[in-house]
Amino acid sequence: MALLDRALVHLLPAVPRPIVRRIADRYIAGEEIEDAVETVSRLNADGMTATIDVLGEEIHNADEAQEIVDAYHDSLDAISEHSLDANISVKPTAVGLKLGYDVGKANIEALVQHASESGNFVRIDMEDSTTTDDTLRIYRELRDARLDNVGVVLQARLRRTLDDIAVLADLRPNVRICKGIYLEPESIAFTDFEEIRASYVRSLEALADTASYVGIATHDEFLISEGKRVSRGRFEFQMLLGVRESLGRDLVTDGERLRIYVPFGRQWYEYSLRRLQENPRIAGYVATDTVGRLLSRNGG
Ligand SMILES: Cc1cc2nc3c(=O)[nH]c(=O)nc-3n(C[C@H](O)[C@H](O)[C@H](O)COP(=O)(O)OP(=O)(O)OC[C@H]3O[C@@H](n4cnc5c(N)ncnc54)[C@H](O)[C@@H]3O)c2cc1C
């Protein structure tokens, strides 16, 4: 399977878009805000909360960044209008961080202010390690400006994460902890599966002491059971749309809070490709999933 994973990762850019779309379909609500509203309504009816992500990390100019920002403002309005139980997750580079620190920060700040008007919340996603310092700086500056309806993400994969937890402690931050999707060099990141898991558990335990709230983002059963042990009902679990849905339903049945990450937007292709390429394990899941669908279609 490892060979197939690697082959798939390299072949993906050559795969026709409609096929990538089909593979990635279950991970994305659709292209329009209405699709996200429909998906979130369904999740809410099933006892889950959501966080909406506007797809579009590959922006090249201020106009493109503004388009994404506008879609987030529309998402906040739609959440209020439809009384959805959902917040938003924002990638700093999608709203202009690479165009300039001040551009990214101003756009996130405007969204946090908008969200606060309706008692809502903004999660700042964490991207690759070239953005970690700036992202944490934006978070601290917003909190220093008394904007408290904002949270950040830390990645267990990064060796620096325990230090970051200590540095953020004075803010009593609201943190999503995840493994980290971006493959980083060994000099700054754990690369071994078990080491990443161990770092996740250490980070979670540290956050339980210092954070105001924790989003435990994982589909890893070992980490979910560690999450239950550490959280004791205080925190929430988070999963990606379309991933391990039965595990998610089990969490809800057990009385745990579960938030589903719901991406939507026209830039689904870049998101899908990036996800599939940057985490070779996911290519394996996709292959299994596709074979599984074909077998079940054939009655197998
Ligand atoms: C809500 C949420 C928000 C996130 N936000 C960020 C972020 O801001 N920054 C960041 O770097 N990363 C983010 N991630 C991604 C995260 O860092 C991991 O890359 C991803 O969750 C896979 O790690 P895992 O803990 O699920 O463990 P894994 O070991 O990768 O997966 C555990 C099991 O889950 C299943 N699984 C996992 N992914 C898939 C999939 N795509 N399709 C089918 N099955 C799958 C497999 O059965 C696997 O064995 C987020 C993840 C979630 C759930």
Side-chain angles (χ1 to χ4, degrees):
M1 192 51 127
L3 262 181
L4 179 59
D5 281 348
R6 275 199 294 276
L8 258 172
V9 165
H10 291 299
L11 282 174
L12 270 168
V15 173
R17 278 181 177 236
I19 295 177
V20 174
R21 175 68 192 254
R22 214 196 55 225
I23 297 172
D25 203 35
R26 60 188 292 183
Y27 303 123
I28 293 162
E31 295 193 10
E32 308 298 335
I33 179 73
E34 292 76 22
D35 300 319
V37 167
E38 196 182 308
T39 300
V40 173
S41 303
R42 178 174 52 76
L43 293 167
N44 286 174
D46 289 342
M48 301 166 198
T49 62
T51 186
I52 295 178
D53 166 48
V54 178
L55 292 169
E57 56 261 37
E58 293 295 323
I59 62 120
H60 305 99
N61 55 54
D63 287 347
E64 284 177 10
Q66 194 56 50
E67 241 178 74
I68 305 283
V69 174
D70 291 346
Y72 272 117
H73 284 294
D74 291 347
S75 301
L76 286 169
D77 289 338
I79 289 169
S80 296
E81 191 190 327
H82 297 273
S83 303
L84 300 176
D85 190 346
N87 58 36
I88 57 171
S89 286
V90 181
K91 285 189 174 49
T93 65
V95 296
L97 182 67
K98 292 259 157 106
L99 303 176
Y101 178 83
D102 292 341
V103 178
K105 185 193 160 189
N107 282 333
I108 293 175
E109 184 164 4
L111 289 168
V112 175
Q113 259 154 358
H114 182 175
S116 78
E117 287 158 20
S118 52
N120 211 331
F121 178 86
V122 177
R123 172 79 58 195
I124 310 175
D125 282 339
M126 188 59 81
E127 301 174 87
D128 71 79
S129 61
T130 64
T131 67
T132 312
D133 285 335
D134 280 348
T135 302
L136 293 179
R137 185 175 152 209
I138 291 174
Y139 178 67
R140 177 167 287 280
E141 288 180 2
L142 294 181
R143 291 293 311 280
D144 285 347
R146 301 252 176 285
L147 289 167
D148 291 334
N149 58 317
V150 57
V152 75
V153 178
L154 293 174
Q155 298 156 323
R157 180 187 296 276
L158 294 189
R159 295 182 190 273
R160 60 180 282 171
T161 288
L162 271 187
D163 291 337
D164 286 333
I165 293 172
V167 169
L168 289 170
D170 64 302
L171 296 175
R172 302 277 300 152
N174 183 323
V175 177
R176 172 196 298 152
I177 179 77
C178 64
K179 284 185 181 175
I181 185 75
Y182 306 90
L183 302 179
E184 304 282 0
E186 195 154 8
S187 52
I188 59 162
F190 300 109
T191 52
D192 174 72
F193 186 74
E194 289 304 332
E195 271 190 326
I196 295 170
R197 266 186 173 170
S199 168
Y200 194 114
V201 175
R202 281 196 303 274
S203 304
L204 187 54
E205 285 171 341
L207 286 169
D209 290 337
T210 59
S212 60
Y213 195 67
V214 186
I216 305 167
T218 185
H219 318 94
D220 182 330
E221 278 170 81
F222 169 75
L223 292 180
I224 287 174
S225 93
E226 285 295 285
K228 284 182 177 173
R229 175 182 67 77
V230 174
S231 157
R232 284 181 281 114
R234 288 175 293 165
F235 307 135
E236 69 182 32
F237 287 89
Q238 300 186 349
M239 290 187 173
L240 301 172
L241 183 68
V243 178
R244 305 209 77 182
E245 288 168 326
S246 68
L247 198 59
R249 279 193 295 275
D250 290 348
L251 278 171
V252 174
T253 307
D254 287 352
E256 299 285 351
R257 277 189 295 280
L258 176 64
R259 186 177 302 277
I260 304 293
Y261 191 95
V262 176
F264 85 94
R266 288 178 209 142
Q267 290 194 43
W268 57 267
Y269 179 74
E270 288 77 7
Y271 171 86
S272 308
L273 213 55
R274 197 175 65 90
R275 273 212 100 77
L276 296 168
Q277 280 180 315
E278 282 182 345
N279 190 340
R281 291 177 63 85
I282 288 181
Y285 312 143
V286 169
T288 311
D289 178 75
T290 308
V291 172
R293 279 184 197 211
L294 289 174
L295 286 177
S296 66
R297 204 175 297 157
N298 295 331

